[in-house]
Amino acid sequence: MSNKKELLWQSRFSLPFDRDALLFSSSVHVDKKLYREDIRGSIAHVTMLAEEHIVSAKEADEIIAGLTEIEEELTSGSLLPHWEDEDIHTVIENRLKEKIGAVAGKLHSGRSRNDQVATDTRLYMRRQVEELQSSLNGLLKVLVEKAETYRDTIIFGYTHLQRAQPISAGHYYMAYFNMFLRDRDRLRDLMKRVNISPLGAAAFAGSTLPLNPRRSAELLGFDDLFSNSIDAVSDRDIVIEFISACSIIMMHLSRFSEDLILWSSYEFGYLEISDAFATGSSLMPQKKNADIAELVRGKTGRVYGNLMAMLTIMKGLPLSYNRDMQEDKQPLFDSAETAIGCVTIFAKLLENTTLREEKLAKLTAEDLSLATEIAEYLVRKQVPFRDAHRITGKIVTWSITSGVTLPHIPVETFREFSDTIEADIYDCLKAEVSVKSKKTHGSCSFDSVALQIEEARKQL
Ligand code: ARG
C-alpha cells in the first residue's frame, strides 16, 4: 500500500513511497524527543536568514510565531507526532505549513535535515552533558560527606576480594570521589567538542545562499562552528565519545554497586541500606535485597551495548551522511538518560547507607589483615623485607592453625619465629595504629584522608 502524505523528497519520484517502507524508516517514535532542540535550531536559522535578507523580517516573524505555537502544542500534547511524517523535523515542518502556509517552506532555505539533525543532536547532548555533570556533582558531595562521617572508622581494604589491610573508611569513599571527579572532568573536556555548531553545512557541501553560520552558532550558544561541511554532517564521533564517557561512569557505579551488594549481605554485614532503599522478596520474608545497586549494575551492560552499537553503526560508512546514522538516537538517548538516572539514584542510595561501625571495629581489631604490620615492624628493625615477609607468613600460618589471633600470640611464640621481635610488637598490632602510622602521600591514614577531603571540597 502506498502512502497518502507527500514526503519532503517525493517530487522526483513517480510512485508514492510504500507504507511499509515508510513505517520501517520512520524515526518519529524516537526523535520526537528532539522537538525543543529542533524548534530552537529553526528559530536561530530563520533569524539568521532574516538578518542576511534571505527571508523578510515579516516572514521570519511569522515562522517564529508558528514555531513557538508548535512547541506549545507538542509540550501540551495537543499535537501528537505521527510516524507518517517520517521524522520530528518533518512533523514540525508539516505542521508549520498547515499553520502559516507556503511561507513555512522558506525556513528551509540553505538547510538540509542533515545539518538540522546534527544541530539538534548537539543541542541535546549539551543539555545532557550539563545534567550529567550536575548529577555527578551531587554524588561527589555525598562521597565527601561519607568520607567525613567515616574518616575515623576502620574497615578492611581488599585486594582479590581478600581482606588485605585495615584502612580508614574515608579513604575508601575518597577513592570513588576521585573516579567520579575524573568522570566529571571528562565531560567538561568533551563539552568543548560537543558545543560546535554544524548548522550551515546544509546537505554536506554548504550553500550558494549568503548564509551566516557564525551568527546561527552564536544564536544557539555554541562556542564555535564547524570548519568542514562534510565533517559537520557526518561526524558522530562526539556521540561515541559521550557514550564512552557514560560507559566509564557506569563502570564506576557498577563496581561501587558490587561493593554495596556484598557489604550489605548477611555474610559481610558491614553496611546497612536504609529500608527506604532496600527491597524484599515476595516469597522469603527474611530477605533484604540491594535491588537499586543491582539495577545500576545491570543497566551498565545496556550502556556498554549502546557504545558497541554506535561504534558498529559508524564503522565502514562512506562519507558523508548515510541513513544508518539515524540509528544514533536510541543509543544516545538511552545512554544519557540511564547515566543521569543511575548517578542520581546512586547518590541517594549512598546517602541512605550506614556502616555498621561496632561490628567493623570488632572484626578489624583481631584480623589477619594486621600481618603486614608485623612485616613492616621487622623492616623497621633492619630485617630485609623479603625475610620479614617470610617470617610473617610463618606466623600467620601458626595463627591460623592454632586459632590464636595475631594480637594474642605470646611474645615467646613470636620470638620463636624471629628473635628480633620484642614486646613492642603489640603496639603495632592494632588496626588503629596500622592506619594512623601510614606515612606516605595519599595513603589510608586518618590525616591523609582529612587532607584529601580538604582538597576535595575545593572541587565541589
Ligand atoms: N531522520 C534523519 C536522521 O535522523 C534526518 C536526516 C535525514 N536526511 C536524509 N538525507 N535522509 O538522520
Side-chain angles (χ1 to χ4, degrees), residues 20 36-37 44 67 89 103 176 199 208 214 229 245 286 300 319 345 358 363 374 383 403 440 453:
D20 288 337
R36 280 203 180 87
E37 285 77 11
L67 288 169
H89 325 293
V103 68
Y176 277 111
L199 195 55
T208 58
R214 195 167 290 284
S229 60
Q286 86 285 6
T300 303
L319 285 182
I345 197 69
E358 257 176 55
L363 285 172
I374 303 177
V383 178
T440 49
I453 293 174

Side-chain angles (χ1 to χ4, degrees), residues 96-158:
L96 190 64
K97 201 162 156 201
E98 261 172 38
K99 286 174 95 72
I100 65 171
V103 68
K106 295 209 168 187
L107 167 61
H108 301 279
S109 321
R111 190 179 64 163
S112 150
R113 280 181 300 163
N114 296 354
D115 59 340
Q116 188 175 354
V117 74
T119 306
D120 295 2
T121 304
R122 281 170 183 270
L123 289 174
Y124 170 85
M125 269 198 282
R126 193 168 77 185
R127 186 157 56 84
Q128 299 298 316
V129 170
E130 273 166 9
E131 207 172 316
L132 189 49
Q133 274 175 320
S134 88
S135 54
L136 280 171
N137 276 337
L139 178 57
L140 290 171
K141 275 192 197 121
V142 177
L143 282 164
V144 172
E145 275 161 32
K146 285 283 161 196
E148 183 91 67
T149 310
Y150 293 119
R151 197 191 68 186
D152 297 332
T153 304
I154 298 169
I155 60 171
F156 295 115
Y158 284 83

Side-chain angles (χ1 to χ4, degrees), residues 278-405:
T279 48
S281 157
S282 53
L283 192 141
M284 301 161 282
Q286 86 285 6
K287 292 293 289 283
K288 182 168 174 182
N289 299 331
D291 281 25
I292 304 298
E294 289 174 16
L295 281 167
V296 169
R297 192 177 56 183
K299 285 170 194 283
T300 303
R302 241 191 34 241
V303 177
Y304 287 9
N306 292 337
L307 179 60
M308 280 307 122
M310 260 327 282
L311 285 166
T312 316
I313 288 165
M314 294 310 290
K315 176 182 175 297
L317 289 193
L319 285 182
S320 58
Y321 178 85
N322 298 270
R323 192 66 180 273
D324 316 44
M325 287 150 108
Q326 179 172 289
E327 294 298 312
D328 66 351
K329 315 280 176 322
Q330 224 153 3
L332 170 64
F333 297 168
D334 184 55
S335 304
E337 286 165 20
T338 305
I340 293 167
C342 288
V343 172
T344 310
I345 197 69
F346 197 89
K348 278 192 97 172
L349 169 65
L350 194 61
E351 254 184 323
N352 282 277
T353 57
T354 41
L355 288 181
R356 298 177 66 188
E357 294 178 86
E358 257 176 55
K359 177 166 181 180
L360 282 162
K362 242 184 243 153
L363 285 172
T364 52
E366 306 261 306
D367 193 70
L368 285 175
S369 56
L370 291 167
T372 312
E373 301 314 307
I374 303 177
E376 291 193 351
Y377 167 92
L378 289 167
V379 169
R380 283 195 297 275
K381 303 227 165 181
Q382 303 310 316
V383 178
F385 182 75
R386 286 292 164 235
D387 296 332
H389 187 280
R390 197 173 314 110
I391 295 164
T392 312
K394 297 223 159 75
I395 296 173
V396 166
T397 311
W398 188 88
S399 163
I400 294 168
T401 40
S402 64
V404 181
T405 61

Side-chain angles (χ1 to χ4, degrees), residues 57-277:
K58 188 171 162 287
E59 287 165 339
D61 286 349
E62 256 181 89
I63 290 171
I64 292 170
L67 288 169
T68 311
E69 279 174 31
I70 295 170
E71 182 168 357
E72 281 159 19
E73 291 172 5
L74 285 165
T75 305
S76 70
S78 67
L79 171 62
L80 292 174
H82 199 278
W83 67 267
E84 280 182 35
D85 279 332
E86 197 176 17
D87 57 26
I88 190 63
H89 325 293
T90 316
V91 169
I92 294 168
E93 182 166 347
N94 286 346
R95 179 71 185 132
L96 190 64
K97 201 162 156 201
E98 261 172 38
K99 286 174 95 72
I100 65 171
V103 68
K106 295 209 168 187
L107 167 61
H108 301 279
S109 321
R111 190 179 64 163
S112 150
R113 280 181 300 163
N114 296 354
D115 59 340
Q116 188 175 354
V117 74
T119 306
D120 295 2
T121 304
R122 281 170 183 270
L123 289 174
Y124 170 85
M125 269 198 282
R126 193 168 77 185
R127 186 157 56 84
Q128 299 298 316
V129 170
E130 273 166 9
E131 207 172 316
L132 189 49
Q133 274 175 320
S134 88
S135 54
L136 280 171
N137 276 337
L139 178 57
L140 290 171
K141 275 192 197 121
V142 177
L143 282 164
V144 172
E145 275 161 32
K146 285 283 161 196
E148 183 91 67
T149 310
Y150 293 119
R151 197 191 68 186
D152 297 332
T153 304
I154 298 169
I155 60 171
F156 295 115
Y158 284 83
T159 61
H160 314 270
L161 195 57
Q162 305 280 338
R163 291 178 183 176
Q165 292 184 61
I167 58 168
S168 150
H171 197 51
Y172 168 84
Y173 289 113
M174 289 312 290
Y176 277 111
F177 177 91
N178 279 277
M179 293 176 234
F180 292 114
L181 189 66
R182 282 195 297 278
D183 289 338
R184 195 188 67 179
D185 288 349
R186 218 181 317 275
L187 292 175
R188 204 174 269 174
D189 189 68
L190 71 81
M191 186 66 132
K192 287 190 250 161
R193 289 174 290 283
V194 167
N195 208 21
I196 305 287
S197 177
L199 195 55
F204 80 101
S207 171
T208 58
L209 297 171
L211 305 177
N212 184 354
R214 195 167 290 284
R215 177 66 179 141
S216 32
E218 181 188 279
L219 287 166
L220 289 169
F222 283 116
D223 291 331
D224 207 346
L225 77 166
F226 66 95
S227 34
N228 178 297
S229 60
I230 298 178
D231 181 46
V233 298
S234 54
D235 156 51
R236 294 292 181 274
D237 58 39
I238 189 60
V239 175
I240 296 173
E241 193 177 346
F242 175 63
I243 303 179
S244 151
C246 291
S247 299
I248 298 174
I249 293 171
M250 294 301 298
M251 177 269 293
H252 287 151
L253 285 178
S254 183
R255 294 186 76 175
F256 208 166
S257 294
E258 176 68 9
D259 280 346
L260 294 190
I261 294 161
L262 284 176
W263 291 14
S264 63
S265 70
Y266 189 77
E267 282 73 8
F268 278 75
Y270 300 165
L271 177 132
E272 190 72 40
I273 298 176
S274 147
D275 283 0
F277 279 81

